[in-house]
């Protein structure tokens, strides 16, 4: 439990500055050693990056908020940072200490007008879960309904801009000199502003409940009268997270069932080209006793521009057709590769890497059923994720930050489940949407 929560811009700035200074010193010393002719082994290089990544993660954990959201984004990175950084930053998905109980009570008092024991008939002061921008407590309404109460950490929203500014300075130490990060940071900033507005999240909960609560998918009900921009109350859904579910040694039939629900949930959103649940990590999904898929977090919901959505959808058929000329043109349109690169040979290697990665992602759609438990497929996806040929340079449209998070996150969930999924209906719907796009 953490009693020391830095919520002012000054306190947070000191931590960012300390981290940046430490990293800058470490990398400068390494550069001098290399310049002096000292060779570094692969093991030494890996250990160096891991130690520095741990330094960043430990400091970002104190900051929570924007800092940890950046860490989460880095864990999904596709070639901007060393592999060791993405592995350590992956801990931001689940290793966050809760704030102390007195602070949590005071936030509820300030936001809802009374302490939790007056507002609710019961309130568990121990956090059920703690994430980057808030933590969740279980409570019971006076009408007897169980609810989840999400409490936002102090000043998270107010420090987004300054945190991102300092994070950009920090990250520029790792990326190629002159690389333009502005679009990517603007995308993260606008998304974080939405994620820290719990009234907006409540509205998203209601929109998804109307759209998906049809028996197969269950979502919470927003308790609007007990919600503010910084406290969110919603009905509680009983179920097991992925890790708990797997500990029960489920049958292959059960794995396939929940895998199919996850697959269909995301493809229904993609083909509708409307809002998409864009935070695909295990903590946001529950497997219920009655066989439904619980979806419980709606902070990160994206509405991609239609032009990007259309191009992103086209990646599927051109990789299935294996039309290299079409792939090349679409990659340029999506800013993945450059039409007139400074180093054509290096760019061609990168193009082939991305094309083969796309082929791997298209594999599940090529047959009527696909086994995500296939160890060869898992090894293939992991190899591409860990071995991008171009380092230190962001590539692709800024919208890839969250579209990749959705797609890669879905595959990771299905691989952990070891599910066999029927892809016929989703493939048919996607191709029908693409036909409509081509006609228009």
């Amino acid at each position: 439990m953490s009693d020391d929560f830095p919520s002012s811009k000054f306190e947070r700035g000191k931590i960012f500055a300390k981290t940046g200074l430490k990293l800058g010193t470490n990398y400068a010393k390494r550069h001098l050693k290399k310049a002096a002719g000292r060779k570094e082994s692969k093991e030494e290089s890996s250990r160096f990056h891991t130690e520095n990544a741990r330094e960043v993660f430990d400091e970002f954990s104190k900051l929570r908020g924007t800092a940890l959201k950046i860490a989460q984004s880095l864990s999904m990175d596709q070639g901007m940072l060393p592999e060791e950084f993405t592995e350590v930053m992956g801990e931001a998905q689940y290793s966050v200490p809760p704030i102390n109980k007195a602070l949590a009570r005071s936030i509820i008092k300030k936001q809802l007008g009374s302490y939790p024991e007056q507002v609710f008939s019961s309130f568990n002061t121990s956090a059920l879960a703690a994430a980057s921008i808030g933590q969740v407590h279980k409570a019971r309404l006076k009408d007897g309904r169980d609810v989840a109460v999400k409490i936002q950490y102090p000043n998270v929203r107010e420090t987004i801009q300054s945190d991102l500014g300092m994070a950009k300075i920090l990250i520029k130490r790792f990326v190629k000199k002159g690389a333009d990060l502005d679009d990517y940071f603007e995308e993260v900033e606008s998304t974080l502003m939405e994620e820290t507005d719990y009234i907006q999240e409540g509205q998203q909960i209601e929109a998804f409940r109307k759209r998906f609560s049809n028996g197969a998918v269950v979502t919470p009900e927003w308790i609007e009268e007990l919600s503010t921009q910084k406290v969110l109350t919603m009905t509680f859904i009983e179920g097991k997270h992925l890790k708990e579910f797997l500990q029960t040694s489920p049958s292959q039939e059960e794995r396939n069932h929940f895998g199919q629900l996850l697959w269909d949930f995301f493809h229904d959103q993609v083909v509708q080209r409307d809002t998409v649940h864009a935070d695909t990590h295990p903590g946001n999904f529950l497997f219920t006793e009655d066989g439904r898929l619980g979806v419980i977090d709606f902070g990160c919901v994206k509405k991609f521009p239609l032009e990007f959505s259309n191009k992103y959808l086209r990646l599927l058929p051109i990789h299935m057709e294996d039309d290299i000329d079409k792939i090349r043109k679409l990659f340029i349109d999506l800013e993945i590769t450059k039409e007139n690169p400074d180093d054509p040979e290096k760019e061609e290697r990168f193009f082939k890497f991305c094309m083969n990665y796309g082929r791997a992602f298209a594999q599940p759609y090529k047959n009527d059923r696909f086994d995500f438990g296939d160890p060869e497929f898992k090894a293939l996806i992991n190899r591409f994720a860990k071995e991008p040929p171009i380092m230190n340079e962001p590539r692709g449209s800024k919208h890839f930050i969250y579209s990749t998070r959705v797609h890669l996150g879905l595959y990771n969930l299905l691989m952990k489940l070891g599910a066999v999924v029927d892809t016929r209906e989703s493939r048919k719907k996607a191709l029908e949407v693409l036909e409509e796009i081509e006609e228009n």
Side-chain angles (χ1 to χ4, degrees):
M1 181 179 296
S2 174
D3 294 316
D4 180 21
F5 183 78
S7 59
S8 74
K9 291 181 183 178
F10 176 71
E11 290 175 299
R12 298 174 74 80
K14 281 200 303 182
I15 292 175
F16 268 111
K18 172 190 167 188
T19 308
L21 181 62
K22 182 75 180 291
L23 286 181
T25 302
N26 291 347
Y27 276 84
K29 286 179 180 176
R30 181 180 185 236
H31 178 73
L32 287 172
K33 287 178 182 177
K34 284 188 170 183
R38 185 188 182 282
K39 291 185 178 180
E40 185 179 71
S41 70
K42 189 175 181 180
E43 291 75 19
E44 286 175 320
S45 175
S46 177
R47 185 165 59 250
F48 174 82
H49 288 310
T50 298
E51 288 171 356
N52 281 279
R54 174 61 56 193
E55 187 87 28
V56 174
F57 178 76
D58 289 346
E59 295 302 320
F60 278 19
S61 290
K62 296 175 188 174
L63 292 165
R64 297 182 182 82
T66 308
L68 270 184
K69 279 293 179 183
I70 294 167
Q72 288 178 351
S73 296
L74 297 183
S75 74
M76 302 296 285
D77 165 69
Q78 295 295 308
M80 194 188 299
L81 297 174
E83 176 191 335
E84 292 80 7
F85 269 76
T86 65
E87 289 182 354
V88 172
M89 292 306 170
E91 295 181 28
Q93 301 284 2
Y94 51 84
S95 298
V96 185
I99 56 175
N100 67 68
K101 295 176 181 180
L103 181 52
R105 288 181 73 250
S106 69
I107 292 171
I108 288 184
K109 169 73 163 60
K110 184 177 180 181
Q111 292 295 313
L112 301 183
S114 299
Y115 286 111
E117 52 267 26
Q118 276 90 51
V119 177
F120 305 97
S121 67
S122 67
F123 181 87
N124 191 335
T125 56
S126 297
L128 188 68
S132 52
I133 63 175
Q135 62 189 45
V136 179
H137 294 255
K138 188 173 182 180
R140 180 164 290 171
L141 299 179
K142 291 181 178 178
D143 65 10
R145 286 183 292 171
D146 288 333
V147 291
V149 183
K150 184 153 73 167
I151 303 168
Q152 191 173 126
Y153 301 134
N155 283 0
V156 169
R157 188 177 178 83
E158 291 76 10
T159 56
I160 286 173
Q161 197 169 50
S162 59
D163 274 10
L164 283 171
M166 289 181 280
K168 189 190 290 187
I169 294 169
L170 193 62
I171 289 172
K172 278 186 175 179
R173 297 181 184 276
F174 307 106
V175 300
K176 182 179 177 182
K177 190 174 181 181
D180 187 2
L181 300 174
D182 290 348
D183 279 355
Y184 300 93
F185 272 83
E186 284 170 11
E187 178 69 5
V188 172
E189 181 179 347
S190 65
T191 303
L192 281 170
M193 291 301 288
E194 292 171 1
E195 284 194 65
T196 51
D197 183 349
Y198 284 176
I199 294 297
Q200 179 166 310
E201 182 173 351
Q203 292 167 346
Q204 298 284 16
I205 288 171
E206 287 304 290
F208 271 79
R209 193 164 73 92
K210 289 175 183 174
R211 185 171 159 191
F212 283 104
S213 285
N214 57 359
V217 175
V218 57
T219 63
E221 179 184 346
W222 180 34
I223 311 299
E224 186 175 358
E225 63 273 20
L226 293 178
S227 299
T228 68
Q229 193 180 64
K230 297 182 179 181
V231 170
L232 176 66
T233 304
M234 56 193 142
T235 52
F236 191 86
I237 295 176
E238 293 283 357
K240 291 182 175 66
H241 289 296
L242 177 62
K243 186 177 180 180
E244 298 169 308
F245 174 72
L246 293 177
Q247 287 172 346
T248 67
S249 301
S251 66
Q252 188 62 50
E253 185 181 2
E254 290 173 302
R255 291 168 182 260
N256 295 349
H257 170 76
F258 284 113
Q260 192 70 51
L261 293 183
L262 281 163
W263 179 268
D264 292 343
F265 173 67
F266 282 100
H267 283 82
D268 283 349
Q269 296 172 76
V270 170
V271 297
Q272 288 179 37
R273 290 178 296 160
D274 195 7
T275 49
V276 177
H277 184 290
D279 202 358
T280 327
H281 74 80
N284 291 338
F285 301 95
L286 292 170
F287 304 146
T288 71
E289 286 292 331
D290 60 1
R292 292 186 294 172
L293 175 69
V295 188
I296 57 173
D297 190 298
F298 295 88
C300 186
V301 171
K302 297 297 295 181
K303 186 175 180 66
F304 297 111
L306 199 59
E307 183 181 6
F308 172 80
S309 296
N310 292 347
K311 289 177 181 177
Y312 189 81
L313 273 172
R314 285 182 58 218
L315 285 168
L316 174 61
I318 65 169
H319 278 98
M320 290 175 67
E321 294 165 13
D322 218 14
D323 189 320
I324 295 177
D325 290 336
K326 286 183 180 179
I327 293 171
R328 193 180 295 277
K329 183 179 183 305
L330 188 54
F331 278 9
I332 292 169
D333 287 346
L334 284 165
E335 304 169 46
I336 297 169
T337 53
K338 297 177 180 179
E339 191 168 13
N340 299 299
D342 296 332
D343 187 339
E345 187 178 331
K346 189 176 182 181
E347 192 72 16
E348 185 63 18
R349 286 199 303 271
F350 184 57
F351 166 73
K352 288 179 179 177
F353 167 84
C354 294
M355 179 175 64
N356 289 328
Y357 200 0
R359 286 170 176 162
F361 257 78
Q363 276 190 27
Y365 301 89
K366 290 184 176 180
N367 297 301
D368 291 346
R369 289 169 66 81
F370 187 79
D371 182 4
F372 280 92
D374 181 353
E376 288 186 11
F377 180 72
K378 183 177 181 179
L380 180 65
I381 292 294
N382 286 344
R383 188 170 74 248
F384 279 116
K386 291 182 176 182
E387 298 176 5
I390 292 181
M391 299 294 289
N392 307 103
E393 186 178 3
R395 288 293 188 94
S397 163
K398 65 181 181 180
H399 302 296
F400 274 114
I401 294 173
Y402 294 99
S403 63
T404 300
R405 188 173 175 178
V406 171
H407 214 154
L408 188 57
L410 173 62
Y411 278 27
N412 283 334
L413 282 169
L414 294 172
M415 287 189 292
K416 286 176 181 175
L417 264 176
V420 178
V421 171
D422 188 324
T423 65
R424 285 175 294 182
E425 190 64 24
S426 56
R427 184 176 65 230
K428 178 185 172 186
K429 287 180 180 177
L431 294 177
E432 285 174 354
V433 169
L434 282 164
E435 284 180 15
E436 288 177 22
I437 293 168
E438 296 298 330
E439 288 173 4
N440 296 328

